[in-house]
Every structure is written in structure tokens, then in C-alpha cells.
Amino acid sequence: MERSIFAALLGGLLGITALGGLAFVWGPPGPHQPPTPPPSRIVGEWRLLEPVTYENISIFPVVSSNSQDTSAFLTLEEGLATGEVIVRESGSENMVRGRDGSVVYVPQYNTGARVNQLVLINRSRRPLLLLAGELVSGGKQDRVIGKDRIVPVGAPALPLDVFCVEHGRWTGASQQFAAANTIVHPSVRERAAVDQKQEEVWDAVRGGTIAKERSSGPAPLLAPRMSAPSIQGAIDTDGRTEAYEKIYVSRAVGVPIDDFVEEVRRRFAAATSGLKDERVVGVVVAYSGEVAWSDIFASGDLFDHYWNKLLRSYTVEALARPTYRAVASRENAAEFLRHLNGHITEETDPGVYRWREITEGRLTQIELDALQPKTITLHRLLLHRTS
């Protein structure tokens, strides 16, 4: 009898211990532990291919067999082209929705246009995806989007934070903006998306690159083919205005940008043509052996939509940097697929999107999660900051 009672007590104590152990394993993490990333962003869903190299650029394709359905989202280029999205200068007039859903322009008095703010309205039946670095042309100055975000269906006119990339012009026949089919190159995009300072954006435009030259080691094989003076001469052809898009015109900067782009495009297409049950969803980009940048999307369709614009932006950055005798390793590129553990800043529009920035040393990771119709990470940017 005593043994039975002792056995029961011992069993109860073991049961409590086991439950305590389970509680320790499955309980919520303490304050000192980083949050666990949601399943949609597991690194194991991505596979890194061998690099596509040309001159001083190496582009590692990122592929996945788990491409999400992103057809529910509208891109800025599509929306501006069809008129479903309207972007205008702020201050001179206000955009409001009429009772029938149409857009009504209400004049604003004693106000004026603002360099770092535009007004956007989404008239489509799909949420609008905006990426930091996308260029809109028109109005009084060309601007770039400052942050990744989603504009929901039926939202009121949105004050949109932007950065000017056209230093000098402040006139325009139309208040409205059009798609420029351009994403600014990484140096400018870093200043807009991470530093968020207008003067530094202008400096990056004028200088071409904000990457520092190597202070030690062998001298570069080739100097930058797109120098700061040639960029300055291209964007300041009339002596009064600096237009960013002139950088992309080969004749303006004296560099065959289109030839460079087409050669990388051809090599990239050949390297990714034999995929089975996988899609290219992103890239990791290195310059002369230094891994610098990555853009990864939730689907192959989204990547395909942005690829041409991204490739041209990577090319401008490559031409603005010197060429060294080095090629980035696959191991170093794979570091850009891991999730950072560091300081986290978040912004959320409940039920619409969550924007997250994680900083670890010189690395910065920016993610945009759509919260409807289900939670997925639409875009993930990871970069090695130059300052």
C-alpha cells in the first residue's frame, strides 16, 4: 500500500516535470530572444545558383519551388499605365473620391507643391504594391518612392513620401506623373530606402556610387567607366536641371549601357533556362568580389515584372564602380539569404501590410509583408551599407 502511494506520488512529480519541460520548449520566447520569422520566409525555401559574371558584376540567381500566387497585387507601372493609379503633386489641389468612386480634384489655396511629398490614389480593384526606388516622372520634378508599402483598395488619397532625383527643375506643364519604368541604382536606392535623407540622395545621383574605393590591396584593373564628371555632364546638359533618367542614356554618359545590360541578360537567361519545378524569385548581386545587394520576391511572376528594371539599375552601379580581379564566392552570397538578428523597426497598417527593417552591423534587411488575403513576404531587400 505504501509502495503504491509512493509510486503515485513519484509518477505525479515526473508528470509535472515533463509538463514543465514542455512548457519550457514550447513557451513564448523571453525578451532577450529574437522573434521567430513566419513560415513564408524560411531560408530553406530558396536555393542559390552559380553566379552569372560579366566584367565586374556577379549575379547569383535565387530559385524556389514554392512560388506564391501574387496575382492579387497591382504594380505601380501597371497602375499608372492603365490610369488605375494617379500620382500628382501635393498642395496645389486635393484628390478626393466622389460618391460613384471617381476622383474629384478640389483646388487648394495658399499652399504649394512639396519636394518630398506627392499624393497617390488607387482606383483599381487590387491592392497596389510600391517599392522603394521606383521612379515616377512628371510634375515639377521626377521623384523616387521612399519606402516599400501597399495601398489598399478603396483607400483615400494617400500622402506619399518621396525623394527628388532632379536637382534644379521646379516647373512642369502637368501636375500628374507617369511611370518611368526605372528603379534607381543601388547607391541612390540605399540613400532613399535606408538613410532617407534628401541631400544624400542628390549626392548619390551626382557621384554615381557611394561605395568607397579599396584602401589596400592591388590597384583596380579598370577605373569606373561611368565617372562622376560624366554623370554630372549627362544630367546637367542644359545648365539648369539634373534629370536622373539621363544616366541611362548611353550617349549621354559615353558608356554602352545597353550592350552591358543585354550581355548580362543573355547570360542570366542561359544559366536559368533548364530549371525544373523551380522559378527564379530573386538575385544576390556582387561587384568585384564584394557581395552588396539582394532583391527577393514572393513569386517568379513578381521577379519577372521587375527584373529588367532591376538589371539596368545593377548595371549602372557596376559601371560606376572600379573593376578588381576578384569574383564573389557562393558562400559569401549565401549570407544574403539568412535572416539577420539585430535591431528591428516595424511599421504596420493593420490588415494591409507590415514593413520591417532589421539592422545587424553593416547589413540592413527590409521586408514587406502583405497581410491579406494571407500573410506573405512580397519583397525582401538585404544590402551591405556603404556607410
Side-chain angles (χ1 to χ4, degrees):
M1 182 68 176
E2 291 178 355
R3 289 184 177 178
S4 299
I5 295 173
F6 177 76
L9 289 172
L10 181 61
L13 288 170
L14 291 173
I16 292 170
T17 304
L19 287 172
L22 287 173
F24 176 77
V25 172
W26 296 106
H32 64 283
Q33 293 177 311
T36 302
S40 63
R41 293 184 281 113
I42 294 175
V43 175
E45 294 180 353
W46 299 323
R47 186 168 69 91
L48 198 67
L49 301 186
E50 292 298 325
V52 174
T53 62
Y54 180 64
E55 295 196 7
N56 65 337
I57 193 171
S58 298
I59 300 180
F60 296 79
V62 178
V63 301
S64 175
S65 59
N66 186 25
S67 184
Q68 304 279 349
D69 180 8
T70 55
S71 60
F73 298 92
L74 177 71
T75 64
L76 179 62
E77 181 182 341
E78 295 170 327
L80 287 172
T82 60
E84 294 176 289
V85 174
I86 297 174
V87 178
R88 297 176 74 91
E89 295 283 2
S90 66
S92 58
E93 57 190 6
N94 189 24
M95 287 193 296
V96 297
R97 288 185 179 274
R99 293 182 178 179
D100 60 353
S102 62
V103 178
V104 178
Y105 301 101
V106 179
Q108 300 291 295
Y109 302 101
N110 300 320
T111 61
R114 304 167 190 170
V115 170
N116 296 120
Q117 191 174 86
L118 298 174
V119 179
L120 178 147
I121 195 163
N122 178 18
R123 303 193 298 178
S124 78
R125 297 181 179 179
R126 292 187 288 168
L128 171 67
L129 170 63
L130 300 176
L131 293 189
E134 289 192 274
L135 184 70
V136 290
S137 62
K140 294 181 179 297
Q141 284 181 334
D142 293 352
R143 317 291 221 290
V144 294
I145 306 299
K147 276 188 177 181
D148 289 11
R149 68 174 302 160
I150 296 172
V151 183
V153 175
L158 172 74
L160 185 65
D161 292 335
V162 293
F163 292 95
C164 170
V165 288
E166 207 178 349
H167 192 236
R169 180 171 71 92
W170 193 243
T171 58
S174 172
Q175 294 290 329
Q176 193 161 327
F177 288 78
N181 301 329
T182 299
I183 290 179
V184 294
H185 63 282
S187 282
V188 179
R189 201 166 156 207
E190 176 184 339
R191 291 309 196 208
V194 179
D195 299 312
Q196 298 181 3
K197 295 180 180 178
Q198 178 61 74
E199 191 60 44
E200 293 188 3
V201 170
W202 277 327
D203 289 344
V205 172
R206 297 186 191 103
T209 183
I210 55 178
K212 306 292 190 299
E213 288 194 22
R214 297 181 185 178
S215 57
S216 61
L221 293 173
L222 294 172
R225 297 171 64 185
M226 186 182 292
S227 64
S230 69
I231 293 172
Q232 188 66 37
I235 64 179
D236 193 22
T237 52
D238 62 9
R240 293 181 296 105
T241 181
E242 297 179 359
Y244 176 84
E245 284 193 284
K246 294 177 184 177
I247 295 175
Y248 286 82
V249 181
S250 295
R251 291 182 181 178
V253 292
V255 175
I257 295 175
D258 293 337
D259 294 346
F260 194 114
V261 169
E262 287 308 313
E263 182 59 27
V264 176
R265 193 198 318 275
R266 183 187 66 79
R267 296 186 183 199
F268 190 89
T272 57
S273 62
L275 295 175
K276 295 181 179 180
D277 302 321
E278 289 180 312
R279 294 282 302 277
V280 179
V281 294
V283 291
V284 178
V285 183
Y287 301 101
S288 292
E290 296 182 355
V291 186
W293 197 272
S294 69
D295 281 292
I296 302 177
F297 296 87
S299 72
D301 290 339
L302 267 185
F303 172 78
D304 290 345
H305 175 83
Y306 289 105
W307 172 229
N308 288 336
K309 294 188 289 186
L310 287 172
L311 176 55
R312 289 179 65 82
S313 77
Y314 303 147
T315 295
V316 168
E317 184 75 27
L319 292 170
R321 295 191 183 202
T323 299
Y324 292 89
R325 195 189 301 276
V327 177
S329 70
R330 189 171 175 179
E331 290 73 22
N332 287 343
E335 279 289 294
F336 276 57
L337 300 186
R338 74 176 178 89
H339 293 289
L340 302 188
N341 294 312
H343 177 73
I344 299 176
T345 303
E346 285 192 353
E347 296 178 7
T348 300
D349 186 349
V352 181
Y353 75 91
R354 178 173 53 242
W355 176 92
R356 180 187 302 103
E357 180 183 88
I358 307 173
T359 301
E360 179 189 311
R362 296 284 292 278
L363 298 176
T364 294
Q365 176 180 322
I366 297 176
E367 299 172 325
L368 179 68
D369 295 342
L371 303 180
Q372 293 291 340
K374 64 177 182 178
T375 301
I376 59 173
T377 301
L378 288 178
H379 179 235
R380 177 187 187 269
L381 162 69
L382 197 151
L383 63 95
H384 185 276
R385 297 195 316 280
T386 55
S387 61

